[in-house]
Amino acid sequence: MKKLEFIPVSQPDVTGNERNYLNECIETGWVSSVGSFVTRFEEQFAKVCACPYGISVNSGTAALHLALRVLDIGPDDEVIVPALTFAATANSVLYQGATPIVADCSTHDWNMDPAGLEDLITPKTRAIIPVHLYGTPCDMDAIGSIAARHGIPIVEDCAEAHGAQYKGQPVGSFGTMACFSFYGNKVITSGEGGICVTGDPELNQRMRLLRDHGMNKQRRYWHDEVGYNYRMTNLQAAVGCAQLERMDEFIAHKRWVKGQYQQGLQGLNCLLPEDPPETKSVFWLYTMALPEHCTEQARDELIRFLAERRIDSRPVFYVLTDMPPYQHLQGHADNARPLSARGITLPSFNGLNEHHIARICGAIREWFKKTE
Ligand SMILES: *Cc1c(COP(=O)(O)O)cnc(C)c1O
């Protein structure tokens, strides 16, 4: 019998100009962190976010850390982060010696819930980091007005939401700063990489200084501050530029995938992602929750059941405060916990076709029948 094709959750599509641009780097010798692709990538990506400045770095985590560093966030400061996110959001706060405060999520968009947000604000709150989880924009009107009322800067974590829009405006343009990741499984990739975008010329200058060891731009080997090596290479930027040319195509495919799953999973009583008209989600990784009676064990069983059929899937992020490094943190996760326990991420890579999706939905239906 022919072995079934393995269906991964995610897989980068680097079949465009990546090879040409990388060859150009090698032929010209510009392989490190100076080169035309770095500037081009920064300018083009900032434009996508309707922001004047883009500061490329070597990871999404570096972007978040740099953003908090230039806001001078430190010990004694609090930063509000959502309960459901990839851990890097909270880690960047801890790197600065500050305290993450955990905001619960809404069951509609799985994002930071504006309803409980104001109660978490104290005189120590120095920033709010909304995360556009799985590519779906947060309620930026509500979060933005709370932040504005208290004069607290917003740093958007857009690591999963390249190209997403809230009321026609691109994510990345709502906060004082916004951070993106270009890790291999993100909407577009540069291998590893990240970027900060901002409209503030002073923050832009300081981030450029700090990503390059804090070294003065006019006086070589003179250090104005203790900085980092957070630079992106021209090789990474070359891949990023090629990916950017295809970003709209990638997003259109992800939105198509979401429609296909919605049809294929109809009637199973799962909590499928919403797609309200005021937002344009990019559905980075298609993620849904199993019916309410399902436990975390049942969810993990489904993951194994799919794996036996050569279909890759993932659990949703664990609630931050359920994990040892974050257990001591204050906050709420009553909505987040059941979503995390019952949540599952299904394949969404660019080559995923209707036959794959039929196989995936068929296997899920088979599992539902078996467990009935
Ligand atoms: C991927 C991700 C990051 C970290 O990006 P890296 O490039 O892997 O450092 C941060 N926040 C969120 C929400 C992410 O999904």
Side-chain angles (χ1 to χ4, degrees):
M1 205 177 87
K2 199 167 141 261
K3 212 170 165 204
L4 269 178
E5 183 193 353
F6 176 69
I7 309 178
V9 158
S10 177
Q11 170 175 285
D13 180 336
V14 286
T15 57
N17 276 322
E18 288 82 358
R19 189 190 298 263
N20 294 338
Y21 295 169
L22 283 170
N23 271 336
E24 197 177 317
C25 294
I26 289 164
E27 279 158 16
T28 59
W30 294 103
V31 295
S32 198
S33 49
V34 178
S36 60
F37 286 114
V38 174
T39 324
R40 181 159 136 199
F41 184 63
E42 289 181 335
E43 286 173 3
Q44 291 183 348
F45 196 83
K47 198 175 267 173
V48 168
C49 305
C51 278
Y53 308 106
I55 304 92
S56 62
V57 290
N58 52 21
S59 74
T61 309
L64 284 164
H65 182 215
L66 203 56
L68 297 180
R69 169 73 193 268
V70 295
L71 288 176
D72 294 316
I73 285 165
D76 294 333
D77 293 336
E78 294 175 354
V79 176
I80 301 177
V81 303
L84 270 193
T85 182
F86 183 65
T89 316
N91 289 346
S92 64
V93 178
L94 294 165
Y95 296 162
Q96 281 302 101
T99 305
I101 302 291
V102 177
D104 205 354
C105 68
S106 139
T107 45
H108 288 290
D109 58 14
W110 300 33
N111 284 325
M112 180 180 273
D113 190 355
L117 185 57
E118 202 149 24
D119 293 340
L120 299 175
I121 295 175
T122 75
K124 293 181 174 181
T125 311
R126 294 286 315 283
I128 299 173
I129 313 185
V131 179
H132 308 296
L133 201 70
Y134 296 118
T136 297
C138 296
D139 182 348
M140 291 314 295
D141 275 353
I143 295 172
S145 69
I146 293 168
R149 192 151 61 235
H150 294 269
I152 299 168
I154 287 177
V155 176
E156 292 174 74
D157 183 341
C158 305
E160 306 179 356
H162 317 56
Q165 292 178 2
Y166 175 80
K167 297 191 174 170
Q169 188 183 329
V171 301
S173 61
F174 291 90
T176 302
M177 277 171 285
C179 306
F180 290 81
S181 162
F182 304 112
Y183 177 63
N185 69 4
K186 302 294 161 114
V187 177
I188 61 167
T189 185
S190 60
E192 293 271 5
I195 200 167
C196 283
V197 294
T198 185
D200 186 316
E202 279 165 29
L203 293 175
N204 170 48
Q205 285 309 326
R206 190 144 172 249
M207 285 194 273
R208 288 181 184 283
L209 189 83
L210 283 169
R211 77 166 168 190
D212 187 20
H213 302 287
M215 186 157 58
N216 191 291
K217 297 281 175 208
Q218 274 77 46
R219 195 173 172 196
R220 179 156 292 196
Y221 303 130
W222 183 267
H223 295 262
D224 294 315
E225 290 195 72
V226 176
Y228 316 94
N229 177 356
Y230 278 173
R231 297 175 310 237
M232 178 183 269
T233 65
N234 204 41
L235 293 167
Q236 290 170 314
V239 174
C241 285
Q243 289 272 296
L244 204 45
E245 292 167 358
R246 297 182 64 199
M247 194 167 98
D248 290 345
E249 172 198 334
F250 292 164
I251 292 171
H253 179 263
K254 289 201 188 283
R255 290 189 54 86
W256 174 82
V257 165
K258 171 239 149 203
Q260 293 291 109
Y261 277 127
Q262 197 166 315
Q263 276 178 22
L265 298 170
Q266 234 169 36
L268 286 182
N269 199 24
C270 293
L271 183 62
L272 304 184
E274 294 176 11
D275 191 15
E278 68 270 19
T279 60
K280 183 189 167 200
S281 172
V282 294
F283 298 105
W284 167 55
L285 293 179
Y286 186 87
T287 298
M288 61 152 184
L290 296 175
E292 272 179 42
H293 66 267
C294 286
T295 58
E296 184 169 338
Q297 287 69 35
R299 189 269 316 272
D300 293 345
E301 201 183 286
L302 172 59
I303 290 176
R304 278 193 298 274
F305 184 87
L306 294 174
E308 283 163 12
R309 282 148 189 80
R310 300 190 45 79
I311 298 165
D312 192 19
S313 64
R314 301 279 153 80
V316 157
F317 298 122
Y318 293 99
V319 167
L320 267 182
T321 43
D322 288 351
M323 296 183 279
Y326 318 102
Q327 242 152 18
H328 63 288
L329 301 177
Q330 306 277 322
H332 302 284
D334 291 345
N335 293 339
R337 197 161 283 114
L339 291 177
S340 166
R342 285 161 29 217
I344 181 168
T345 291
L346 301 175
S348 327
F349 63 95
N350 199 45
L352 191 73
N353 63 34
E354 61 260 50
H355 305 297
H356 295 133
I357 296 177
R359 223 179 95 196
I360 298 162
C361 294
I364 294 172
R365 286 185 177 280
E366 198 188 324
W367 181 79
F368 267 81
K369 211 169 218 158
K370 185 177 82 85
T371 54
E372 246 164 25

